[in-house]
Amino acid sequence: LCLQETHANSQTKIDTLNVQFQPSREAFWTEHLGIMSFSLDYQITLIDTQHLYASTRYQICKVQHPHNFYAPFFILNLYAPVSPAPARREFFQQLTHIIDQLQQQSAINMEKLIICGDFNYSHLRTSTIASSSAEDWRLLLSHHFYNSMQI
């Protein structure tokens, strides 16, 4: 389960969220995001990317089965800044750089990456998409991903 707008900015709030959700294994929280599993068949590992771009607005995790019953996959959970637009563009530009770096280091497999979260812009509003996101980000999405909301 991936969550945005968690407001988990203290250990007390994190403890409360863990009690409410009761994940079966790991749960990873920032003040903006959370990711957890309710199944013992999914082992989640947070990939450290803070040396590339320090932000509490994204998490990249590796998900695997404890006995390797399926190939690992990856999840990028994000909560983009609402405004101003330049900050949001910078955020997406940094995410694109991180994904490129992790792929070059073989730390993630682009064919097994799921991106979810709150982008804080709409792909349907083509008149504002350029000012709301980075061009590199849009190219990355159009070349490597499917929008499951439109399938």
Side-chain angles (χ1 to χ4, degrees), residues 2 15 21 38 43 49 57 79 82 84 90 95 99 147 151:
C2 292
D15 292 343
F21 285 107
F38 298 107
Q43 183 177 7
T49 57
R57 292 189 167 272
Y79 178 51
V82 176
E90 172 68 18
L95 282 182
I99 291 170
N147 184 348
I151 293 177

Side-chain angles (χ1 to χ4, degrees), residues 89-117:
R89 281 193 305 273
E90 172 68 18
F91 173 77
F92 285 116
Q93 192 169 13
Q94 290 295 334
L95 282 182
T96 305
H97 174 73
I98 289 167
I99 291 170
D100 287 342
Q101 289 294 309
L102 293 175
Q103 183 181 11
Q104 288 176 15
Q105 298 167 6
S106 299
I108 64 169
N109 180 343
M110 288 285 284
E111 293 182 8
K112 297 190 178 288
L113 176 63
I114 299 167
I115 299 177
C116 61

Side-chain angles (χ1 to χ4, degrees), residues 34-53:
I35 187 166
M36 70 189 82
S37 173
F38 298 107
S39 171
L40 295 175
D41 291 335
Y42 296 99
Q43 183 177 7
I44 300 172
T45 307
L46 190 64
I47 297 174
D48 181 17
T49 57
Q50 296 301 302
H51 63 287
L52 298 170
Y53 176 57

Side-chain angles (χ1 to χ4, degrees), residues 18-142:
N18 284 332
V19 167
Q20 288 176 340
F21 285 107
Q22 302 212 355
S24 61
R25 289 187 183 262
E26 303 84 7
F28 300 101
W29 300 101
T30 75
E31 65 182 286
H32 299 290
L33 302 165
I35 187 166
M36 70 189 82
S37 173
F38 298 107
S39 171
L40 295 175
D41 291 335
Y42 296 99
Q43 183 177 7
I44 300 172
T45 307
L46 190 64
I47 297 174
D48 181 17
T49 57
Q50 296 301 302
H51 63 287
L52 298 170
Y53 176 57
S55 174
T56 59
R57 292 189 167 272
Y58 76 95
Q59 297 169 316
I60 301 177
C61 295
K62 180 178 182 179
V63 182
Q64 56 192 20
H65 189 276
H67 302 293
N68 298 316
F69 288 169
Y70 54 81
F73 62 94
F74 304 87
I75 299 173
L76 166 58
N77 183 24
L78 65 93
Y79 178 51
V82 176
S83 61
R88 190 170 42 253
R89 281 193 305 273
E90 172 68 18
F91 173 77
F92 285 116
Q93 192 169 13
Q94 290 295 334
L95 282 182
T96 305
H97 174 73
I98 289 167
I99 291 170
D100 287 342
Q101 289 294 309
L102 293 175
Q103 183 181 11
Q104 288 176 15
Q105 298 167 6
S106 299
I108 64 169
N109 180 343
M110 288 285 284
E111 293 182 8
K112 297 190 178 288
L113 176 63
I114 299 167
I115 299 177
C116 61
D118 187 344
F119 290 34
N120 273 315
Y121 71 86
S122 172
H123 286 284
L124 302 177
R125 291 190 204 128
T126 55
S127 62
T128 62
I129 195 168
S131 65
S132 299
S133 63
E135 183 178 1
D136 291 348
W137 173 255
R138 293 189 310 276
L139 288 171
L140 176 84
L141 293 181
S142 67

